[in-house]
């Protein structure tokens, strides 16, 4: 008689658009894991109690997405070094009577850039748009690749400056407001804002994008995202959505939960071809 499947899921608000159940379903079949993965739409005010209920009922692990990544770091009873550095968590894993918090976003982004997309980061000028939970997880891994400069720009300049102060020991990083960006092109521009969910783009000068710029949107969709369209319209060299990051960070989470790393290539190809 088969045992009941282990319980996993993703918690966010909203979360109905998430492709994580599809991805983890493919991972589970590929690696023959007995598990189910569900969506949990939880408002910020209910996050702590709903997540506690999930684990108390025997749940094994959760992915965490907007807007709960900082709250998840506060919820976890222990953090991995990369989650502690980020101050944000996108993966929760029950380990005995504790809940471990990890952040796989940066590893997922770096693997997508370097392995899937063959993008050079060392020695380049990198711009991250947005200073929220999505940015927190990727700054340290990007700085470890030794860009010549990393700038985090945000609608509220103080929030960007406060965020980068946590990483100033890792490299040449600074924060500023959108309106304070230097008027020259960056080599890599990463959109970590949620503006695209409302059909918008960050309000930055178009001169940050040049003919050699690679533009990367952490968001994704079947059609080009608003940021990707904006980037193409400004003559960038390349503009890509965050499908690869989504799959690669999911694989990192899956490995933490199940002790086996799935092959991401086939899953990414299926995902891109079947995206809604």
């Amino acid at each position: 008689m088969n045992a009941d499947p282990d319980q996993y899921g993703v918690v966010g608000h909203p979360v109905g658009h998430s492709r994580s159940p599809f991805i983890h379903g493919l991972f589970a079949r590929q690696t023959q894991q007995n598990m189910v993965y569900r969506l949990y739409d939880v408002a910020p005010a209910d996050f702590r109690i709903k997540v506690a209920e999930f684990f108390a009922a025997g749940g094994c692990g959760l992915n965490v997405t907007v807007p709960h990544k900082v709250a998840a770091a506060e919820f976890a009873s222990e953090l991995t070094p990369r989650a502690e550095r980020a101050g944000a968590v996108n993966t929760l894993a029950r380990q005995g009577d504790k809940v471990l918090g990890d952040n796989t976003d940066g590893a997922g982004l770096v693997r997508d850039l370097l392995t899937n997309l063959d993008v050079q980061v060392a020695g380049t000028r990198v711009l991250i748009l947005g200073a929220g939970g999505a940015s927190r997880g990727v700054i340290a891994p990007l700085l470890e690749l030794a860009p010549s400069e990393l700038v985090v720009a945000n609608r509220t300049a103080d929030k960007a400056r406060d965020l980068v102060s946590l990483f100033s020991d890792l490299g040449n990083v600074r924060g500023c407001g959108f309106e304070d960006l230097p008027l020259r092109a960056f080599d890599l521009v990463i959109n970590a804002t949620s503006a695209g969910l409302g059909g918008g783009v960050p309000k930055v000068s178009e001169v940050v994008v040049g003919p050699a710029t690679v533009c990367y949107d952490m968001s994704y969709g079947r059609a080009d995202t608003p940021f990707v369209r904006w980037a193409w319209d400004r003559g960038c060299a390349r503009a890509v959505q965050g499908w690869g990051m989504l799959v690669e960070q999911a694989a990192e989470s899956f490995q933490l939960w199940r002790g086996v790393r799935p092959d991401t290539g086939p899953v990414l190809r299926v995902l891109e071809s079947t995206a809604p």
Side-chain angles (χ1 to χ4, degrees):
M1 183 174 181
N2 292 332
D4 290 337
D6 293 334
Q7 302 292 315
Y8 295 89
V10 57
V11 56
H13 185 68
V15 78
H17 66 285
S18 175
R19 300 293 284 166
S20 292
F22 182 73
I23 293 168
H24 284 280
L26 291 176
F27 287 167
R29 286 194 291 275
Q30 181 193 110
T31 59
Q32 298 182 320
Q33 299 294 302
N34 185 25
M35 57 182 283
V36 295
Y37 188 106
R38 297 185 173 92
L39 297 173
Y40 297 96
D41 193 327
V42 176
D46 299 326
F47 177 81
R48 177 170 286 273
I49 188 168
K50 293 297 184 182
V51 171
E53 288 174 352
F54 172 85
F55 285 110
C60 295
L62 288 170
N63 284 132
V64 182
T65 188
V66 176
H68 300 312
K69 292 184 179 184
V70 174
E74 296 168 352
F75 176 88
S77 46
E78 184 179 344
L79 298 176
T80 63
R82 60 188 180 184
E84 187 169 10
R85 167 67 85 166
V89 158
N90 80 330
T91 305
L92 293 169
R94 180 164 55 83
Q95 297 188 343
D97 59 355
K98 295 182 178 180
V99 176
L100 177 68
D102 194 11
N103 194 309
T104 68
D105 283 336
L109 173 62
V110 164
R111 186 175 177 89
D112 192 33
L113 288 171
L114 300 185
T115 303
N116 299 334
L117 301 173
D118 196 26
V119 172
Q120 171 76 19
V121 177
T124 65
R125 299 179 63 250
V126 178
L127 170 62
I128 299 176
L129 301 175
S135 298
R136 282 179 171 268
V138 304
I139 294 174
L142 285 170
L143 286 172
E144 290 170 2
L145 300 179
S148 62
E149 177 186 27
L150 193 154
V151 177
V152 177
N154 192 62
R155 181 173 53 83
T156 306
D158 285 346
K159 186 174 181 181
R161 286 191 284 265
D162 289 346
L163 177 59
V164 301
S165 69
L166 304 174
F167 304 92
S168 59
D169 60 312
L170 298 181
N172 183 15
V173 58
R174 68 184 183 89
C176 66
F178 288 153
E179 70 281 1
D180 300 320
L181 277 168
L183 299 181
R184 62 183 187 276
F186 286 80
D187 300 298
L188 174 62
V189 178
I190 299 170
N191 179 34
T193 74
S194 57
L197 295 177
V201 296
K203 295 182 178 180
V204 297
S205 170
E206 62 184 41
V207 301
V208 302
V209 174
T213 304
V214 175
C215 292
Y216 189 103
D217 194 350
M218 287 189 183
S219 298
Y220 50 85
R222 176 112 188 180
D224 285 345
T225 63
F227 177 77
V228 165
R229 291 196 299 271
W230 178 89
W232 282 127
D233 288 346
R234 276 136 192 91
C236 70
R238 196 174 181 190
V240 296
Q241 303 183 51
W243 288 114
M245 177 181 174
L246 177 68
V247 173
E248 297 295 347
Q249 63 81 22
E252 290 275 326
S253 297
F254 192 91
Q255 184 173 22
L256 173 66
W257 292 332
R258 308 302 295 182
V260 59
R261 184 176 179 90
D263 183 1
T264 56
V267 175
L268 181 56
R269 289 190 290 273
V270 170
L271 188 69
E272 289 176 327
S273 66
T274 61

